[in-house]
Amino acid sequence: LIQLQDLCKTYDLGEVQVRALRPTTLSIEAGEYVALLGPSGSGKSTLMNLLGCLDQPTSGSYSLDGVEVAKMSRDARSRIRNEKIGFVFQNFNLLARTSALENVELPLMYAGHQSHRQRRAKATDLLAKVGLADRLGHHPSQLSGGQQQRVAIARALVNEPAILLGDEPTGNLDTRTSQEVMGLFGELNRQGITVIMVTHEQDVARHARRLIVLRDGDVIADTEQFER
Amino acid sequence: LIQLQDLCKTYDLGEVQVRALRPTTLSIEAGEYVALLGPSGSGKSTLMNLLGCLDQPTSGSYSLDGVEVAKMSRDARSRIRNEKIGFVFQNFNLLARTSALENVELPLMYAGHQSHRQRRAKATDLLAKVGLADRLGHHPSQLSGGQQQRVAIARALVNEPAILLGDEPTGNLDTRTSQEVMGLFGELNRQGITVIMVTHEQDVARHARRLIVLRDGDVIADTEQFER
Ligand SMILES: Nc1ncnc2c1ncn2[C@@H]1O[C@H](COP(=O)(O)OP(=O)(O)OP(=O)(O)O)[C@@H](O)[C@H]1O
Ligand SMILES: Nc1ncnc2c1ncn2[C@@H]1O[C@H](COP(=O)(O)OP(=O)(O)OP(=O)(O)O)[C@@H](O)[C@H]1O
Ligand SMILES: [Mg+2]
Ligand SMILES: [Mg+2]
């Protein structure tokens, strides 16, 4: 499903170059459950943004479902993001002036093939699943940190993506809510959805089958772990 | 040092009222180390914003160092925040168009009694302490999530506050960086600084002497725990 070949990202700040991700080669099969670990600043979000087609690599190749992402048009990339990928961002990226419900409906509106009533029902349903049934009308500034994170999670799932990317998706959640969310992700993975999760918490990482560890932009470990 | 008497915060959204913090009475002595726990949405950040003099309660009293906060002028509150309180926000609240270094220098500029060179030295020193010596000139958008969080931590500490308030201060940090930061907070607490930390992580909560647990805006537990 995902094939990276010498994929690399360098930020050019004039006098200094930050090699956020060094040439990385790896592949991820459909249906895998991957945890991406590593110290702060090691390149995890950089890799996730490349995987999510939000950012262009400095060099190297990224083939998604057989198509070279770098060669896609902007529209094609935008459509892939909307149809195939659900992304829970490290800083949520919610629209400030719209309600929780509208934030979650947004990907459905871009997809375009559902009625207003179907979108509303679907978004309401997902928000209820993450415990926010009584916060539908709240704007992000009227929500707690963990509630904002859960809106971001619902939004990532609403278009039933084939690939779920989560960048510290439970970082602001208490243990119990976090377990509920991980249960939901596990259920989706069993249904065939490819899950790639950045985390620094062992309780989240233990749900994954495969662990990829980054340090200073390099993959230093890529192993399988089994249920425990 | 801190005395709350029936302190309460209700958000009025027209058709519905959100009772974020119910009348709460408790006191915190100078030099205590408190962990504030509870589910997502239980009122932790609401309580922290009241303690940090960033928000006004709906009712009740908050006395800080013997002075009733609600009766202070805006300037007096602003001065207290700058001189006595260091706040690490759940969403960092960094200035987007300024560098890490300038973000950390900002409280020193408001305090007003140091030269440009002294401010620069102090801010540089703190950023080095949290491992960001090579990121001084980066703007927040050029920093990883955990790096932004560390800039927020350095900024909270630069004015040597008497009270350190941290709202999930290590939520975006890997285990090792998190331990370094907790080590720094522990050192400050031993020097007499009052530390109040919101967290949902056991590894953070275990550093505190006192645990206060919130649920639905109520304090449901207030206990002491000892080193283990
Ligand atoms: N401006 C606001 N208007 C309306 N309701 C609000 C507002 N701010 C917060 N709330 C509500 O108040 C409650 C408490 O919020 P608070 O941010 O204190 O929770 P929290 O314990 O910090 O949660 P988390 O662990 O998720 O950060 C939440 O249910 C939230 O929806
Ligand atoms: N726009 C940018 N310009 C310059 N450097 C950047 C930029 N974005 C990120 N970096 C740098 O690239 C490195 C990797 O960043 P990245 O966000 O991928 O780290 P991360 O592993 O997600 O860290 P964290 O766990 O703290 O979120 C960091 O050292 C960061 O300072
Ligand atoms: Mg990151
Ligand atoms: Mg909060």
Side-chain angles (χ1 to χ4, degrees), chain B residues 10-77:
Chain B
T10 300
Y11 292 106
D12 190 342
L13 295 180
E15 22 171 89
V16 78
Q17 296 222 324
V18 179
R19 303 187 62 195
L21 187 72
R22 302 183 191 218
T24 296
T25 295
L26 58 88
S27 27
I28 297 175
E29 313 274 312
E32 284 202 53
Y33 196 146
V34 184
L36 185 54
L37 300 132
S40 171
S42 55
K44 306 181 295 296
S45 297
T46 298
L47 175 55
M48 292 290 272
N49 289 336
L50 292 169
L51 290 172
C53 304
L54 287 156
D55 201 10
Q56 295 271 43
T58 305
S59 63
S61 132
Y62 170 24
S63 162
L64 174 61
D65 233 353
V67 187
E68 177 57 45
V69 175
K71 296 201 170 49
M72 287 182 191
S73 68
R74 288 188 70 164
D75 283 353
R77 256 203 310 280

Side-chain angles (χ1 to χ4, degrees), chain A residues 13 16 18 38-42 45 90 135 138 142 144-147 150 168 170-175 177 200-201, chain B residues 13 16 18 38-42 45 90 135 138 142 144-148 150 168 170-175 177 200-201:
Chain A
L13 296 181
V16 77
V18 180
S40 174
S42 56
S45 296
Q90 192 168 8
R135 290 285 181 275
H138 284 231
Q142 297 168 332
S144 78
Q147 289 167 345
R150 283 181 275 161
E168 308 269 5
T170 61
N172 281 285
L173 302 177
D174 55 282
T175 310
T177 314
H200 64 262
E201 290 187 54
Chain B
L13 295 180
V16 78
V18 179
S40 171
S42 55
S45 297
Q90 191 167 7
R135 290 285 180 274
H138 284 231
Q142 297 167 333
S144 76
Q147 290 168 344
Q148 291 174 26
R150 284 180 275 162
E168 309 267 5
T170 60
N172 281 286
L173 302 178
D174 54 281
T175 310
T177 314
H200 64 261
E201 290 186 58

Side-chain angles (χ1 to χ4, degrees), chain B residues 1-2 26-37 47-48 51 163-169 182 185 189 193-199 204-214 219 221-225:
Chain B
L1 182 64
I2 287 170
L26 58 88
S27 27
I28 297 175
E29 313 274 312
E32 284 202 53
Y33 196 146
V34 184
L36 185 54
L37 300 132
L47 175 55
M48 292 290 272
L51 290 172
I163 303 168
L164 172 63
L165 301 175
D167 198 341
E168 309 267 5
M182 294 316 296
F185 291 173
N189 180 246
I193 291 172
T194 308
V195 178
I196 305 171
M197 204 110 312
V198 170
T199 181
V204 173
R206 66 182 183 79
H207 290 272
R209 166 59 59 82
R210 179 177 176 186
L211 298 180
I212 295 176
V213 186
L214 284 183
V219 173
D222 188 349
T223 63
E224 286 217 353
Q225 71 173 356

